[in-house]
Amino acid sequence: MTVASRIRAWRIGRASPVVGGPSLPLMGCRVRAGFPSPADDHLDVEIDLHAYVVRRPASTYFVRAEGDSMLGDGIHDGDLLVVDRSLEPRPGRVIIIAVDGEPTVKRLERLAGRTCLVASNPRFPAIPLEGRECEVWGVVTHVLHALPGAVP
């Protein structure tokens, strides 16, 4: 199995909102990762998760990640990525890009004056883009993943 085949991303659908879709409750406070406060157990507003993660519906789609090359950026195998095609792919941004026809998710960087794709897992080498056929499919804006044991 090649490195490219282990770091794919697959497009799975457009980000079109569900008309009349359910809004979900949003707590009126932030949740501490330490000791919980019993005074903070009230709801403030409702939130439409789609409206929260999709700023430009006409240019946004969802894709499922495959592999472990982006673990350092919190992207795990099977995660759902929100991708906006209208954003400029600048150095430092995580992008979806087809390199020589093979889609992948990586961070765009300039290294020693060369444009490269960089994994956030040190086991994967940088991929120089010079001389390769490349097509940017968009900039990753959000990552959604379930915690272990949370989904049956």
Side-chain angles (χ1 to χ4, degrees), residues 101-114:
E102 188 74 28
T104 188
V105 56
K106 295 284 176 286
R107 186 170 297 282
L108 185 65
E109 295 289 354
R110 296 279 300 163
L111 301 174
R114 298 170 62 188

Side-chain angles (χ1 to χ4, degrees), residues 5 8 18 37 42 54 56-57 59 63 67-68 86-87 97 100-101 105 110 121 142 144-145:
S5 67
R8 289 189 294 233
V18 176
S37 170
H42 63 281
V54 177
R56 297 167 197 84
S59 64
V63 66
D68 62 354
S86 71
L87 296 176
I97 184 171
D100 297 328
V105 56
R110 296 279 300 163
N121 182 336
H142 292 83
L144 303 169
H145 69 263

Side-chain angles (χ1 to χ4, degrees), residues 26-38:
L26 174 66
M27 299 271 309
C29 63
R30 295 185 181 262
V31 178
R32 293 186 188 108
F35 186 76
S37 170

Side-chain angles (χ1 to χ4, degrees), residues 52-55 62-63 75 80-84 139-144:
Y52 181 75
V53 300
V54 177
R55 299 284 187 228
F62 298 101
V63 66
I75 299 174
L80 190 62
L81 308 179
V82 181
V83 183
D84 189 333
V139 175
V140 176
T141 60
H142 292 83
V143 179
L144 303 169

